[in-house]
Amino acid sequence: MTRKEYNKTVDMYSGRLFGYVLKCLQNSEDASDIVQDVFERLWNHRKNVEVEKAKTWLYTTAHNALINFAKKKARMDLYGDNLPERSQETESRFEMKEIVDMVIDTLPPLQKSILLLRDLEGYHYDEIGEMLSISDSQVKVYLFRARRKIKQQLKEFTVLYDVSEQGKY
């Protein structure tokens, strides 16, 4: 990959890659750091990455970086260096987007990545499989499980919300 091809790759994929990482982390500073690190790795490996496969390489590297970030954060939480977390207290009314984001955050990292790549970014099953080094059928299974879990949790939330609202009147 030449310098010109690298710059074109950055222009083509940086926005969508940032959106994907941001959706996973819900923190723009951390997302920016990871995306910058991914593009730095691409630059360091540019001689080994074919231009046609740069997109797949970027998303695979970003996915692995997200998993490493989650593991590091979990270790820090275990040792008492808690990062600021969302408040557990919820207001009586949420906007639907906030509710869905909270539910998506509960998904395992692989399911979350697949769901975001498919539903947010619009990638096909084969592209996602290639990015995450899994088969198309595994992508479909994980996506089905993620959607089923979201649907179940949204149903539970709706029941809880309805019960709490009945007590107010």
Side-chain angles (χ1 to χ4, degrees):
M1 177 180 293
T2 66
R3 179 183 299 265
K4 186 176 181 178
E5 292 169 330
Y6 172 82
N7 289 334
K8 186 176 179 180
T9 301
V10 171
D11 290 340
M12 287 176 56
Y13 300 116
S14 61
R16 290 186 78 183
L17 188 65
F18 177 77
Y20 164 67
V21 174
L22 179 62
K23 190 72 173 170
C24 289
L25 296 179
Q26 301 292 319
N27 181 315
S28 61
E29 291 178 14
D30 291 337
S32 181
D33 289 345
I34 287 178
V35 170
Q36 183 175 359
D37 184 51
V38 168
F39 279 107
E40 180 181 351
R41 289 180 191 176
L42 177 62
W43 177 254
N44 292 334
H45 293 93
R46 69 188 178 278
K47 294 178 182 173
N48 302 325
V49 177
E50 297 175 28
V51 176
E52 300 80 28
K53 298 192 179 217
K55 177 174 138 183
T56 301
W57 191 95
L58 288 168
Y59 277 89
T60 301
T61 305
H63 174 73
N64 292 335
L66 286 167
I67 291 172
N68 291 339
F69 181 82
K71 288 178 183 177
K72 181 180 176 183
K73 182 178 176 188
R75 280 194 308 267
M76 290 174 63
D77 288 347
L78 283 176
Y79 294 115
D81 296 330
N82 292 328
L83 297 174
E85 294 183 19
R86 289 186 186 176
S87 171
Q88 294 296 329
E89 301 172 356
T90 57
E91 298 177 16
S92 62
R93 294 186 186 246
F94 281 106
E95 292 185 30
M96 191 53 142
K97 182 185 179 313
E98 291 174 328
I99 296 167
V100 171
D101 285 345
M102 286 174 46
V103 172
I104 289 174
D105 284 343
T106 67
L107 294 173
L110 185 59
Q111 287 182 9
K112 184 176 181 178
S113 292
I114 291 170
L115 181 80
L116 294 174
L117 286 169
R118 177 70 180 150
D119 293 343
L120 183 68
E121 297 293 329
Y123 289 106
H124 296 283
Y125 299 119
D126 57 336
E127 292 176 306
I128 296 169
E130 189 177 339
M131 288 177 201
L132 303 179
S133 301
I134 58 177
S135 70
D136 297 358
S137 59
Q138 287 176 310
V139 170
K140 292 174 185 176
V141 168
Y142 284 124
L143 184 61
F144 172 79
R145 290 178 182 166
R147 288 175 175 165
R148 183 179 61 194
K149 184 174 182 179
I150 289 171
K151 184 177 179 181
Q152 180 62 35
Q153 288 184 343
L154 288 175
K155 281 182 182 178
E156 290 172 8
F157 180 82
T158 303
V159 170
L160 290 174
Y161 181 76
D162 288 344
V163 169
S164 68
E165 285 297 306
Q166 288 175 1
K168 291 186 175 185
Y169 298 108

